[in-house]
């Protein structure tokens, strides 16, 4: 029952399907094929049938009999009288009649089948979803966040989008993502996205007050997930942090700083944009320190290390504490990006 309810609000990645007109034409062709086979069977065994009108069955009579028989109209004016004809009706024409009816009511059956398939897909997805990424809001910020995740190697089946707008949910489904339609400030909506088992959560709604409520709800559901929140105004950053966010990004301030850098040095702004766009050239990445790097200086690493993360503290590469890398450290470095697929 829970999966059936979730199936109405969870959009699985879109699957390729034939256009509606082609589906109708294909069903029509199948129905005509069944009708032709039945007509041929009756005409071949026409001596075993009796027409109450003139006593003989020609090809038109065979087509007429096939039509009224498959549609279960059955006027009784043409009837099988020989044993062979009656046996053919039992073993061949009756199954063809059932097949013909299935084709005619195929739309209803397809709807029922699709709902069942949707429930099965949702149940299977929910049972295996662990340590995934939940993206709340599939607007401009959310879309670019997903693009960055994909560029960093996150698989599409490990990203779940939550949005209250049906168009955004459909767009996410067309992009190959699982999407949940609903209000992310509600616990049941986030549960449908399996947020309680997520490893990372990105909150990027249109309003800062919505971001605060979503952050509170998400942190209540999941204490261990890394929670990154986007807000518009700097004054809301302390509130979002108190709500449980690990990182808060102020979109208006970031855009303003980028504008200032662009005026002072357009090339520096291009480099920053390059660093933030994975797969376009240079990538800014965080990675674990390799065994052969322990005890060495950050400058001796194969890539360009700009900071060291040690016990949740970020140390500049010039900081004396970061002079020698330690086991368990993580480094933030710049490396040549690979083209995104």
């Amino acid at each position: 029952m829970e999966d059936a309810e979730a199936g109405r609000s969870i959009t699985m990645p879109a699957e390729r399907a034939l256009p509606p007109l082609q589906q109708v034409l294909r069903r029509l062709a199948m129905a005509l094929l069944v009708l032709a086979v039945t007509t041929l069977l009756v005409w071949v065994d026409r001596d075993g049938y009796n027409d109450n009108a003139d006593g003989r069955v020609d090809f038109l009579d065979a087509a007429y009999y096939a039509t009224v028989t498959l549609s279960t109209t059955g006027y009784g004016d043409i009837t099988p009288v020989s044993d062979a004809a009656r046996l053919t009706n039992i073993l061949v024409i009756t199954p063809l009649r059932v097949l013909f009816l299935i084709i005619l009511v195929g739309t209803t059956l397809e709807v029922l089948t699709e709902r069942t398939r949707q429930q099965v897909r949702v149940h299977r997805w929910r049972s295996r979803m662990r340590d995934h990424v939940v993206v709340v809001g599939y607007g401009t910020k959310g879309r670019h966040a997903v693009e960055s995740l994909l560029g960093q190697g996150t698989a599409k089946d490990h990203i779940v989008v939550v949005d209250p707008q049906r168009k955004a949910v459909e767009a996410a489904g067309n992009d190959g993502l699982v999407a949940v339609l609903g209000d992310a400030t509600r616990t049941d909506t986030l549960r449908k996205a399996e947020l309680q088992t997520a490893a990372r959560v990105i909150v990027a709604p249109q309003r800062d007050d919505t971001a605060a409520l979503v952050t509170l709800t998400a942190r209540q559901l999941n204490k261990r997930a890394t929670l990154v929140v986007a807000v518009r105004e700097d004054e809301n950053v302390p509130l979002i942090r108190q709500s449980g966010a690990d990182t808060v990004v102020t979109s208006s301030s970031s855009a303003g700083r980028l504008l200032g850098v662009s005026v002072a040095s357009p090339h520096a702004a291009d480099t920053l944009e390059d660093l933030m766009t994975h797969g376009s050239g240079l990538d800014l990445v965080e990675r674990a320190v390799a065994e052969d790097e322990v005890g060495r200086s950050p400058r001796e690493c194969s890539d360009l290390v700009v900071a060291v993360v040690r016990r949740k503290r970020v140390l500049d590469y010039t900081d004396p504490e970061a002079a020698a890398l330690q086991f368990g450290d993580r480094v933030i470095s710049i490396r040549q990006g690979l083209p995104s697929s």
Side-chain angles (χ1 to χ4, degrees):
M1 186 65 181
E2 184 180 359
D3 289 331
E5 181 181 353
R8 289 190 287 269
S9 58
I10 297 178
T11 300
M12 302 299 292
E15 297 180 328
R16 296 187 62 182
L18 291 175
L21 180 59
Q22 290 189 22
Q23 294 186 35
V24 172
L25 292 177
R26 185 176 65 176
R27 290 179 183 176
L28 179 60
M30 292 173 62
L32 292 175
L33 178 62
V34 173
L35 180 62
V37 170
T38 306
T39 301
L40 182 62
L41 288 172
V42 174
W43 185 74
V44 169
D45 193 25
R46 56 189 177 278
D47 293 336
Y49 290 81
N50 178 63
D51 187 351
N52 294 333
D54 55 12
R56 53 185 296 273
V57 175
D58 55 18
F59 187 79
L60 180 61
D61 294 330
Y64 167 76
Y65 174 78
T67 303
V68 298
T69 300
L70 292 181
S71 63
T72 68
T73 305
Y75 293 116
D77 46 353
I78 299 178
T79 56
V81 293
S82 70
D83 292 341
R86 290 178 178 179
L87 188 62
T88 301
N89 267 260
I90 295 173
L91 299 179
V92 181
I93 294 182
T94 297
L96 287 175
R97 181 188 302 118
V98 174
L99 178 61
F100 189 80
L101 292 176
I102 289 176
I103 295 173
L104 291 181
V105 299
T107 302
T108 303
L109 293 176
E110 184 177 357
V111 170
L112 295 175
T113 303
E114 181 61 30
R115 288 181 180 177
T116 303
R117 288 181 62 252
Q118 172 75 357
Q119 292 178 19
V120 170
R121 292 182 69 195
V122 168
H123 176 75
R124 186 181 305 162
W125 168 77
R126 298 179 73 177
S127 64
R128 70 169 185 262
M129 190 55 59
R130 297 290 185 277
D131 296 328
H132 55 291
V133 184
V134 176
V135 179
V136 178
Y138 203 60
T140 302
K141 292 179 289 187
R143 287 174 184 265
H144 283 85
V146 169
E147 289 178 3
S148 296
L149 289 171
L150 296 176
Q152 295 173 46
T154 303
K156 285 186 176 183
D157 59 2
H158 268 66
I159 299 175
V160 184
V161 172
V162 180
D163 200 285
Q165 301 294 327
R166 184 169 294 277
K167 287 184 177 180
V169 169
E170 292 176 352
N174 292 333
D175 291 339
L177 304 171
V178 176
V180 177
L181 176 66
D183 183 1
T185 63
R186 298 178 60 86
T187 302
D188 58 346
T189 300
L190 295 182
R191 285 188 182 278
K192 291 175 182 177
E194 297 296 316
L195 186 138
Q196 62 272 20
T197 61
R200 292 171 288 174
V201 181
I202 297 175
V203 181
Q206 299 296 326
R207 297 166 54 95
D208 287 0
D209 53 351
T210 303
L213 289 174
V214 173
T215 303
L216 281 169
T217 308
R219 183 54 75 196
Q220 183 182 18
L221 279 175
N222 193 325
K223 304 294 185 183
R224 66 176 182 85
T226 301
L227 195 55
V228 180
V229 185
V231 296
R232 291 178 178 270
E233 305 297 336
D234 286 329
E235 61 185 16
N236 294 321
V237 172
L239 176 62
I240 300 297
R241 289 192 181 277
Q242 292 175 10
S243 301
D246 296 299
T247 303
V248 183
V249 178
T250 309
S251 57
S252 56
S253 297
S254 300
R257 284 190 288 269
L258 187 58
L259 287 172
V261 171
S262 300
V263 171
S265 175
H267 299 300
D270 291 340
T271 302
L272 286 174
E273 182 67 22
D274 187 6
L275 289 173
M276 292 186 294
T277 306
H278 280 264
S280 63
L282 298 175
D283 286 346
L284 188 65
V285 299
E286 179 180 336
R287 64 172 179 83
V289 171
E291 291 184 6
D292 59 350
E293 294 174 335
V294 174
R296 297 167 60 183
S297 168
R299 293 183 178 89
E300 299 179 61
C301 295
S302 58
D303 47 3
L304 180 59
V305 175
V306 296
V308 178
V309 182
R310 179 175 297 163
R311 292 184 289 275
K312 297 185 177 181
R313 293 177 57 210
V314 180
L315 306 174
D316 188 271
Y317 75 99
T318 60
D319 194 308
E321 292 186 45
L325 296 173
Q326 300 178 4
F327 182 79
D329 285 350
R330 298 183 66 83
V331 295
I332 299 174
S333 63
I334 298 174
R335 62 171 56 170
Q336 184 69 31
L338 297 175
S340 57
S341 56

